[in-house]
Amino acid sequence: MTKTKAVRVSLLPDAVRREAFAEASRFRGEFYACLTARCDELFELSDAVLCADGAVKSPVDLTLLPEHRRGHGAMYGGLNHGRIDTDRLRTVLAGLPLPRFDGGRMVLAVDVSPWLRSDAPCSAERLFCHVYGRAKSASQFIPGWPYSFVAMLEPGATSWTAILDAVRLGPVDDATAITAAQLRGVVERLITAGQWKPGDPDITIVADAGYDVTRLAWVLRDLPVEMVGRVRSDRVMRLPKPPRTHGVNGRPPKHGPEFRFTKPETWPEPAITTVTDTSNYGKAETQAWDRVHPRLTHRAAWLDHDGELPLIEGTLVRLRVEHLSKERDAPPVWLWSSKTGATAVDVDRCWQVYLRRFDLEHTFRFAKQTLGWTTPKLRTPEAADRWTWILIVAHTELRLARPLAEDLRRPWEKPTATGRLTPARVRRGFRNIRAHLACPTRVPKPRGTGPGRPPGAKNKRRAPRYDVGKTVKRPETLKAIGKPGRSW
């Protein structure tokens, strides 16, 4: 009996590895099927990104790797004229194994990361991207292409995320409307893929202060989601309306008293108070108030709303920790959740999943500094979209190869357990893993050197220049209906 158990234990890692190889090979085949033009070149380009030694400095350098069997001209042609069926690829990403939190809950994070192109006047559809400076209060606006990413978060301290979607924001796009449509598409694909079923916990979506979390909660109210977002510390919201007093005539109030974040005297007694000991921030104290909502007006996103404005109630959470890293002072953080009637467990989960949102910053830094997302000097935004999706596929392959990677550390680096390898550590050994994975690309056919421009001939077609910024302005900014003869 003991020998049988020992045999089963020894076979378990091999079974896990075989399943990981099969899942990674299956994904590579489905990705190849999503390439509808220049498929062999785009597929080998993604392999070259994963097998390069060190950070990617230029896409043309990837053509010198043995994994890239085609020339540099094919690489330029693939980025400029290739085609990727992004809708099909999004469906494939939604069907992969995804991380879950306690109870099988899925947590999504949405954020925007810019591809700065301040020196590209011939590139179209650039916007002014908000970038933080090195100083505490320094910030600036630099022309570039902002991309909105949606990723699945993992529990615990990790630098891994599962990117499920990416959309470039254009000059005529409404950021809130695009984000709402993007989140709706991701959630619907997860439901279609069987990742969420009736009876499962609602999908939590985490956003930072730059998003209108109450607007997103209203637009996505028909989906099984819970919006959690940080709100500015100078906001003013409203408490629930008081119960109607018997014998008082007139129209009942729609909103309760004001709740000013900067004035504690306007705060009523919190409905829930929790205290949690953390290893990084000391003691974390939370105060929560139920059914707190903003007072909406016909401005901005609600300008075209017909009829009476809705009442979007949720749970307001004030989080206070003892200190940040390096013993820095920690100002309180205000969070708003679309869930009403929350319990103490819901409140603690609210701020804990919000802290996991910063794992997406690790993904952005890895994509830019190691995979070279913003390194190429591409002219057209369509080529930038193709390069972005190639890197999303490369990051997904690294995530699927986590059980197969070994710790190929440098002599000065500390050893890391197999389950704790970072994306950069997994990438070091991907060339060895790739040898055992499916490779559907065809052998290249030599065709010689293209004719190109004749020697001595000048370029007679000057590249067009494009303005930076929004191209659509709304003439109407306020809509109010008052009594006849009243001045507004």
Side-chain angles (χ1 to χ4, degrees):
M1 186 65 179
T2 305
K3 184 181 295 185
T4 304
K5 288 185 177 180
V7 171
R8 289 179 180 176
V9 173
S10 62
L11 290 179
L12 182 58
D14 293 338
V16 173
R17 290 177 62 85
R18 286 196 300 269
E19 179 62 27
F21 274 118
E23 187 66 36
S25 297
R26 190 182 308 114
F27 172 72
R28 288 166 63 86
E30 292 176 345
F31 168 59
Y32 185 80
C34 296
L35 304 176
T36 57
R38 312 292 177 104
C39 51
D40 295 330
E41 166 56 32
L42 295 179
F43 190 91
E44 291 189 356
L45 186 59
S46 65
D47 277 355
V49 170
L50 293 173
C51 297
D53 295 331
V56 176
K57 300 299 182 181
S58 174
V60 71
D61 293 338
L62 300 176
T63 61
L64 304 178
L65 299 178
E67 290 76 14
H68 191 280
R69 300 177 295 179
R70 289 158 174 80
H72 62 278
M75 185 273 301
Y76 288 119
L79 290 179
N80 293 327
H81 306 291
R83 288 195 302 270
I84 303 177
D85 190 350
T86 55
D87 294 336
R88 182 174 180 178
L89 183 54
R90 290 184 176 102
T91 304
V92 172
L93 294 174
L96 295 176
L98 298 174
R100 307 294 180 100
F101 279 66
D102 295 338
R105 182 183 298 271
M106 292 184 292
V107 179
L108 296 173
V110 57
D111 202 356
V112 173
S113 184
W115 182 338
L116 302 181
R117 296 303 311 275
S118 59
D119 56 347
C122 298
S123 296
E125 301 183 10
R126 292 182 302 160
L127 297 177
F128 287 106
C129 304
H130 183 266
V131 179
Y132 289 98
R134 294 185 178 272
K136 183 177 180 180
S137 59
S139 61
Q140 51 187 334
F141 291 90
I142 301 178
W145 291 314
Y147 280 83
S148 175
F149 291 88
V150 177
M152 190 77 71
L153 302 181
E154 291 191 6
T158 179
S159 57
W160 288 94
T161 61
I163 303 178
L164 300 179
D165 193 17
V167 174
R168 177 174 48 84
L169 303 179
V172 299
D173 294 335
D174 183 358
T176 303
I178 293 298
T179 303
Q182 185 182 16
L183 292 174
R184 177 177 293 276
V186 171
V187 173
E188 290 178 349
R189 286 190 293 270
L190 291 175
I191 296 175
T192 303
Q195 301 283 5
W196 184 92
K197 299 178 182 178
D200 294 344
D202 289 346
I203 302 174
T204 303
I205 302 177
V206 188
D208 208 4
Y211 291 90
D212 190 351
V213 61
T214 55
R215 172 72 177 178
L216 292 176
W218 170 257
V219 175
L220 304 177
R221 64 190 182 279
D222 59 325
L223 297 177
V225 299
E226 173 189 352
M227 289 297 308
V228 175
R230 183 170 67 93
V231 292
R232 293 170 55 95
S233 58
D234 58 351
R235 288 285 300 272
V236 178
M237 288 193 173
R238 291 294 183 130
L239 295 170
K241 63 180 181 180
R244 186 174 179 86
T245 305
H246 179 71
V248 177
N249 299 326
R251 181 180 180 181
K254 184 178 180 180
H255 308 280
E258 288 186 345
F259 189 108
R260 294 182 175 270
F261 293 3
T262 57
K263 294 185 177 181
E265 59 270 16
T266 63
W267 307 349
E269 190 69 20
I272 298 174
T273 303
T274 64
V275 179
T276 307
D277 292 329
T278 63
S279 57
N280 296 329
Y281 310 107
K283 185 180 297 184
E285 301 178 358
T286 61
Q287 297 173 295
W289 294 267
D290 192 20
R291 297 179 58 193
V292 180
H293 58 274
R295 183 177 182 178
L296 303 178
T297 57
H298 285 281
R299 295 174 182 268
W302 301 98
L303 181 64
D304 298 328
H305 184 82
D306 296 329
E308 187 177 2
L309 292 173
L311 195 67
I312 310 174
E313 296 182 330
T315 302
L316 182 65
V317 180
R318 181 178 184 267
L319 171 64
R320 183 67 185 243
V321 297
E322 289 183 345
H323 59 80
L324 299 176
S325 60
K326 300 180 181 180
E327 301 298 328
R328 295 176 298 166
D329 294 335
V333 176
W334 294 88
L335 304 174
W336 188 87
S337 171
S338 60
K339 183 180 181 62
T340 57
T343 62
V345 177
D346 297 330
V347 172
D348 286 339
R349 187 187 69 249
C350 177
W351 65 267
Q352 289 171 3
V353 297
Y354 173 76
L355 293 183
R356 294 268 60 85
R357 189 204 69 84
F358 295 95
D359 296 340
L360 194 55
E361 302 295 337
H362 296 285
T363 302
F364 293 155
R365 182 169 60 250
F366 175 72
K368 292 181 178 180
Q369 297 181 359
T370 304
L371 300 183
W373 174 41
T374 58
T375 299
K377 304 299 181 182
L378 302 177
R379 172 176 292 184
T380 63
E382 293 78 15
D385 295 343
R386 297 185 191 100
W387 177 250
T388 301
W389 277 106
I390 288 176
L391 295 193
I392 291 176
V393 170
H395 188 269
T396 303
E397 290 195 49
L398 291 178
R399 183 171 59 87
L400 296 177
R402 288 170 67 183
L404 309 172
E406 298 180 359
D407 187 15
L408 303 179
R409 65 184 182 91
R410 303 289 189 260
W412 54 85
E413 294 176 343
K414 297 181 180 180
T416 305
T418 303
R420 300 289 299 172
L421 294 179
T422 62
R425 292 279 187 100
V426 175
R427 180 172 175 262
R428 289 178 185 174
F430 188 83
R431 174 172 287 172
N432 302 328
I433 300 173
R434 178 184 176 274
H436 305 279
L437 298 177
C439 186
T441 57
R442 296 164 293 185
V443 178
K445 299 179 181 179
R447 299 186 180 182
T449 305
R453 187 188 303 169
K458 295 183 179 180
N459 185 8
K460 299 181 180 180
R461 293 189 297 178
R462 179 180 174 87
R465 266 60 175 172
Y466 300 94
D467 296 332
V468 183
K470 291 287 186 180
T471 58
V472 175
K473 296 183 179 180
R474 308 186 72 168
E476 186 180 14
T477 59
L478 175 63
K479 178 172 64 176
I481 302 177
K483 296 180 179 180
R486 184 172 179 178
S487 176
W488 291 86

